[in-house]
Amino acid sequence: VSPGIGGIVTDSVLGEVRKLDGVSAIGMNEIRDMLSFEATKQLSGCSETADSCLADLAGALGVDELVTGKATKINAQTSAFVLRRIDQKRAQVKSAFNQRLASSNGQEFLAAVGPAVSQLYPGFPLRKGAVRGVSKEIALRIDPPPLPKWSTITVAAVAVASGLAGGVLALLAY
């Protein structure tokens, strides 16, 4: 999927994991803030999206678990969403979510985040006051509502008026 959609889905998964009681989570953006970009490259020696790179960073930071994932458009009708929860110390997958979804504009991934994290972390209840699933505000980042017709008409009218005013001023200057 596009980097924009991938970033929104990644942030949404992190947000959903942070809703769990008894789970502390940090994302790659926080890790980058803690380490300089150059130090990260030297430490890992790989691309920032590779699973082995994430495992190297997780090991260096002493984390217990790592969540990796992929959001992929297979074709016009089908997408795939895969998340894995990895025990860093035992080097084994503790749980996984792998689902084919009906392709859309990226909303299909956001709709799957809540159930995916629930499947990755069975037995971990939500923190008090938390609600499972991605908020509608985040979903609007992928699929914003169309602009109202009045805004398009207003911009067009201002452009025409500006063009006319510019033409009149150019004629007067001539």
Side-chain angles (χ1 to χ4, degrees), residues 137-148:
E137 292 81 23
I138 292 176
L140 287 176
R141 290 172 54 195
I142 286 181
D143 190 19
L147 292 174

Side-chain angles (χ1 to χ4, degrees), residues 152-166:
T152 305
I153 293 169
T154 302
V155 169
V158 168
V160 168
S162 297
L164 287 173

Side-chain angles (χ1 to χ4, degrees), residues 6 14 38 42 58 88 107 111 129 137 162 165 173:
L14 179 60
E38 200 55 42
Q42 290 175 1
Q88 224 12 54
Q107 296 284 348
E137 292 81 23
S162 297

Side-chain angles (χ1 to χ4, degrees), residues 41-111:
K41 284 192 332 190
Q42 290 175 1
L43 174 68
S44 62
C46 57
S47 73
E48 62 186 57
T49 57
D51 284 352
S52 62
C53 176
L54 293 174
D56 289 345
L57 281 172
L61 293 172
V63 299
D64 296 326
E65 295 181 351
L66 182 67
V67 174
T68 64
K70 293 185 185 201
T72 308
K73 293 264 188 184
I74 296 172
N75 56 40
Q77 294 83 28
T78 310
S79 297
F81 190 41
V82 178
L83 291 176
R84 289 182 304 277
R85 178 179 164 210
I86 301 167
D87 183 326
Q88 224 12 54
K89 293 178 180 161
R90 294 187 179 128
Q92 70 181 26
V93 176
K94 286 183 95 168
S95 55
F97 177 86
N98 186 350
Q99 190 170 18
R100 288 184 181 252
L101 309 166
S103 277
S104 180
N105 57 357
Q107 296 284 348
E108 70 272 23
F109 300 115
L110 295 182

